[in-house]
Amino acid sequence: MWKLAIGAIGVVFGDIGTSPLYAFRETFAGHHPLALDTEHIMGVVSLMFWSMMIVVTLKYVTIIMRLDNKGEGGSLALLALISGKTRNKRWTRGIIFLGVFATALFYGDSMITPAVSVLGAVEGISVAAPAFAGWIVPIAVAIMVFLFSIQRNGTGKVGAFFGPIMMLYFATIATLGIISFLQTPSILWSLNPWYAINFFIIDPLPAFLALGSVVLAVTGAEALYADMGHFGRKPIKLSWLWFVIPALMCNYMGQGALLMRDGVLALQNPFFLLAPDWFQIILLVIATSAAIIASQAVISGAFSVTQQAIQLGFMPRLRIEHTSASTAGQIYIPFVNWALMIMVILLVLTFQSSSNLTAAYGIAVTGAMLIDTCLLTVALFYLWRWKWYYAVPLLTVFFIVDIAYFAANMTKVPDGGWFPLVVGLVIFTLLTTWSRGRALMIERMREAAMPIKVFIQSAATSATRVPGTAVFMTSTPEGVPHALLHNLKHNKVLHERIILLTVKISDVPYVPDGERVELEPLGQGFHRMILRFGFMQDADVPTALKQVHECGADFKMIETSFFLSRQTLIAAERPQMALWREKLFAWMLRNAESAMEFFRLPTNRVVELGSQVEI
């Protein structure tokens, strides 16, 4: 348990752990500055503490993390869990769209987090060594290039160092915070929720606008849920309650105490000014290391979310490389990696400072949190069957908090908040276009398919049979695959054993080996086979076939040929999608990774046959 808890500190809490670098400063010196008096400082510290208690501790750690899909968390895992139970409801489609949009917003978050975390840490140079302040952006870009370049090596080797480094970071910021607030112990009263309420009473509009920066203290809360599959709920809960939140609050109270003592002088960078002059360079190194780890965590999260989206049919196939022989979750997706790197570097060069970037940061996070509350509403009533008098008061609190944070962040749209919204809309369009186009294509192929029994009766006795096994990959478990029809038409032969193979991705993370294969003999050497994989599993077809022993002789790859059908889209007389979406889907289909690579088929045993499909 303790080893897992330490590992969780290294991976899961990197994002929320680096928030003290910029969150407190932005609340007072950001786009909506606040007066540096006792009421405002105490009010902000109180808001940060109770935000962490309500949003992170109560909502995510205590409740949402119990909604695991066979141990896995995240918006898509929760969506798969909910949609399976509410499939026949009228509003299910809307819930699916919400879950997909939360996933789209996550990509915006995964672009902004590395940029704002690394910039926030490197900006310590302006305090520790002011002469080198002009090097902040080039150094941040160099760190980004290095970070994304090492992704192909996997996080396994580096991961062993993550926990100790983050523990050192949290211990350091807690110590600096304690030293500061012991000089001004009255800041401890800010843990009383009255100071947060009083903030809204004395200054309602500035207090509301301040929420747009206060929420930076809880960015990364959704990462706790998304990374649950790697560590489990209990280790994450243990780390959060006994180590992370005490360290964060000590630092925030320390920064508040510093501002109460030194005012405007400390506002330049209260995080680094907590440290004495001789320690600032050391703190810069520790904070930069923590920021790199925070970035690593969100990049790994982007890989995991992409794999889930591909397996659940929301994204075309992409090349996925496994970087660990023992840990299935450690993967590397080159396209996602380099696309993220380009976007992150563009963000750093465009916004130039963490202060400018924080305007873009909050909307993606608060939008995803609000959608998670909507999904939680469905889960409480339809999965857990809670009584309304238990669920409604709790959900009311969550919705009030989430809507307030989201509304406050919407005021930052002109200053950069437009970026995650644009990214979210673009990715949402791509995901829904692929899902809709794929469904239409499968439907058209099913309509045009010949019944398998009719085909076997007419072709099995008339065609020449040749030795070996032929596996015809088909997306629908009904009818005759196009590749089989084309092969018979052009080559005029049938193999002795013919497998009509469909790979299905279940809405659970992992499918046990005992439930992997569904086999139906069709006679005359024909067999219908369905292979099932979880959405977190690698769809390795040859390995799965080698474990099948109920279909005649065991499968030997040297004697097996795989026949694939490559579809070409043509314009339909009555198109079911808008023309621009049809063209977008066709482009995605052309650029998707081939089924041969995705299903790990041996390259010298594959035959591809083309077919045309109208959608």
Side-chain angles (χ1 to χ4, degrees):
M1 179 68 75
W2 283 104
K3 285 182 179 179
L4 286 171
I6 292 170
I9 290 170
V11 175
V12 177
F13 297 104
D15 190 355
I16 199 169
T18 51
S19 295
L21 288 167
Y22 45 80
F24 207 83
R25 181 194 68 212
E26 282 309 302
T27 308
F28 286 93
H31 294 81
H32 304 290
L34 292 174
L36 281 171
D37 54 35
T38 301
E39 287 82 6
H40 288 86
I41 293 171
M42 298 283 277
V44 167
V45 175
S46 186
L47 272 176
M48 287 182 167
F49 174 68
W50 286 102
S51 294
M52 284 194 275
M53 291 303 293
I54 293 171
V55 175
V56 185
T57 307
L58 180 59
K59 179 178 161 184
Y60 278 96
V61 174
T62 305
I63 298 176
I64 288 188
M65 285 179 65
R66 293 179 184 273
L67 286 164
D68 66 296
N69 193 335
K70 301 289 180 67
E72 291 295 327
S75 295
L76 277 180
L78 179 57
L79 179 63
L81 186 67
I82 289 174
S83 59
K85 299 287 186 180
T86 61
R87 193 162 286 147
N88 300 320
K89 303 293 182 183
R90 284 182 301 174
W91 39 261
T92 301
R93 187 177 178 85
I95 288 292
I96 290 173
F97 279 161
L98 276 178
V100 173
F101 192 62
T103 303
L105 285 175
F106 175 80
Y107 283 101
D109 187 21
S110 62
M111 294 171 190
I112 299 172
T113 296
V116 75
S117 298
V118 173
L119 266 176
V122 176
E123 281 168 355
I125 291 174
S126 62
V127 175
F132 293 94
W135 287 85
I136 289 173
V137 171
I139 290 173
V141 170
I143 289 173
M144 296 302 174
V145 172
F146 169 74
L147 178 63
F148 284 96
S149 298
I150 63 170
Q151 293 301 314
R152 65 172 62 251
N153 299 320
T155 57
K157 294 178 181 177
V158 190
F161 300 102
F162 282 7
I165 290 174
M166 287 305 294
M167 288 187 73
L168 174 64
Y169 167 79
F170 281 120
T172 301
I173 65 172
T175 303
L176 293 174
I178 291 169
I179 292 170
S180 176
F181 75 63
L182 285 178
Q183 299 173 51
T184 315
S186 60
I187 193 72
L188 290 169
W189 287 105
S190 61
L191 299 183
N192 186 334
W194 165 248
Y195 287 95
I197 297 167
N198 185 56
F199 184 14
F200 279 89
I201 293 172
I202 62 171
D203 234 348
L205 182 59
F208 169 73
L209 295 174
L211 291 177
S213 298
V214 169
V215 76
L216 297 173
V218 296
T219 55
E222 69 282 3
L224 276 66
Y225 185 43
D227 288 329
M228 183 169 60
H230 297 290
F231 299 99
R233 182 172 63 88
K234 289 184 178 179
I236 291 174
K237 186 176 182 179
L238 187 71
S239 300
W240 170 251
L241 292 176
W242 293 99
F243 194 79
V244 177
I245 191 173
L248 291 175
M249 281 315 303
C250 285
N251 191 263
Y252 284 128
M253 287 190 292
Q255 290 188 46
L258 180 66
L259 290 183
M260 289 171 72
R261 292 194 303 274
D262 297 347
V264 178
L265 290 174
L267 196 56
Q268 177 196 356
N269 201 319
F271 177 84
F272 282 98
L273 289 172
L274 280 177
D277 293 344
W278 62 269
F279 191 70
Q280 284 174 354
I281 292 291
I282 300 171
L283 181 60
L284 175 65
V285 173
I286 294 172
T288 304
S289 301
I292 291 172
I293 292 169
S295 304
Q296 175 64 60
V298 82
I299 293 166
S300 300
F303 293 157
S304 296
V305 166
T306 301
Q307 185 187 33
Q308 290 184 29
I310 291 170
Q311 300 290 55
L312 291 171
F314 289 109
M315 195 176 285
R317 293 185 295 261
L318 297 173
R319 184 156 61 92
I320 299 175
E321 298 177 7
H322 289 263
T323 58
S324 171
S326 57
T327 308
Q330 290 187 14
I331 57 174
Y332 168 68
I333 304 178
F335 175 80
V336 174
N337 185 66
W338 300 121
L340 278 180
M341 187 189 80
I342 291 168
M343 293 304 297
V344 168
I345 291 175
L346 285 175
L347 281 172
V348 171
L349 295 176
T350 303
F351 287 88
Q352 296 281 313
S353 73
S354 62
S355 182
N356 293 333
L357 264 170
T358 52
Y361 199 14
I363 289 181
V365 175
T366 53
M369 287 179 177
L370 180 56
I371 291 171
D372 281 347
T373 303
C374 295
L375 296 177
L376 175 63
T377 303
V378 179
L380 290 185
F381 285 110
Y382 287 91
L383 293 184
W384 287 351
R385 306 285 181 180
W386 275 31
K387 302 292 185 183
W388 69 268
Y389 43 82
Y390 293 129
V392 170
L394 189 68
L395 292 169
T396 301
V397 172
F398 292 159
F399 272 115
I400 288 172
V401 171
D402 288 337
I403 291 171
Y405 276 132
F406 185 68
N409 274 279
M410 288 300 287
T411 64
K412 300 192 291 186
V413 168
D415 299 315
W418 54 267
F419 176 79
L421 291 178
V422 169
V423 169
L425 286 171
V426 169
I427 294 177
F428 177 77
T429 302
L430 291 172
L431 297 180
T432 52
T433 297
W434 177 259
S435 178
R436 174 66 175 155
R438 185 170 169 271
L440 283 173
M441 193 170 72
I442 291 172
E443 187 181 326
R444 294 291 176 270
M445 291 170 66
R446 186 184 284 120
E447 288 172 358
M450 178 190 297
I452 187 64
K453 290 184 178 179
V454 175
F455 176 82
I456 293 174
Q457 290 171 0
S458 60
T461 53
S462 58
T464 304
R465 306 300 287 257
V466 295
T469 299
V471 177
F472 290 89
M473 304 287 290
T474 172
S475 55
T476 57
E478 303 97 19
V480 182
H482 285 263
L484 177 52
L485 292 172
H486 284 288
N487 182 55
L488 183 61
K489 177 181 177 182
H490 293 288
N491 298 324
K492 298 181 175 55
V493 296
L494 291 174
H495 288 71
E496 284 179 340
R497 179 170 59 171
I498 294 175
I499 309 295
L500 309 181
L501 178 62
T502 301
V503 176
K504 285 193 171 184
I505 306 300
S506 302
D507 57 3
V508 295
Y510 302 98
V511 172
D513 289 343
E515 300 172 16
R516 173 92 59 236
V517 182
E518 183 181 323
L519 192 62
E520 179 190 356
L522 301 173
Q524 301 289 338
F526 284 76
H527 303 267
R528 174 83 68 190
M529 185 184 294
I530 296 174
L531 292 180
R532 300 183 190 278
F533 297 90
F535 61 76
M536 292 295 289
Q537 288 178 299
D538 192 18
D540 189 335
V541 169
T543 301
L545 287 177
K546 287 175 183 176
Q547 296 172 357
V548 177
H549 307 292
E550 303 85 22
C551 189
D554 289 352
F555 286 89
K556 297 178 181 176
M557 290 302 108
I558 196 67
E559 298 172 1
T560 303
S561 298
F562 294 88
F563 290 83
L564 309 178
S565 179
R566 181 175 284 273
Q567 288 81 27
T568 301
L569 299 183
I570 58 175
E573 292 181 8
R574 290 177 296 172
Q576 298 290 307
M577 295 172 68
L579 185 60
W580 67 269
R581 289 188 79 190
E582 194 171 307
K583 289 182 177 179
L584 177 60
F585 176 69
W587 174 79
M588 294 171 78
L589 187 65
R590 285 195 304 272
N591 288 278
E593 186 189 35
S594 72
M596 176 184 70
E597 294 173 328
F598 188 78
F599 293 122
R600 305 289 187 265
L601 306 180
T603 53
N604 59 342
R605 307 299 304 171
V606 173
V607 179
E608 282 195 336
L609 298 161
S611 64
Q612 293 182 328
V613 181
E614 289 185 357
I615 63 166

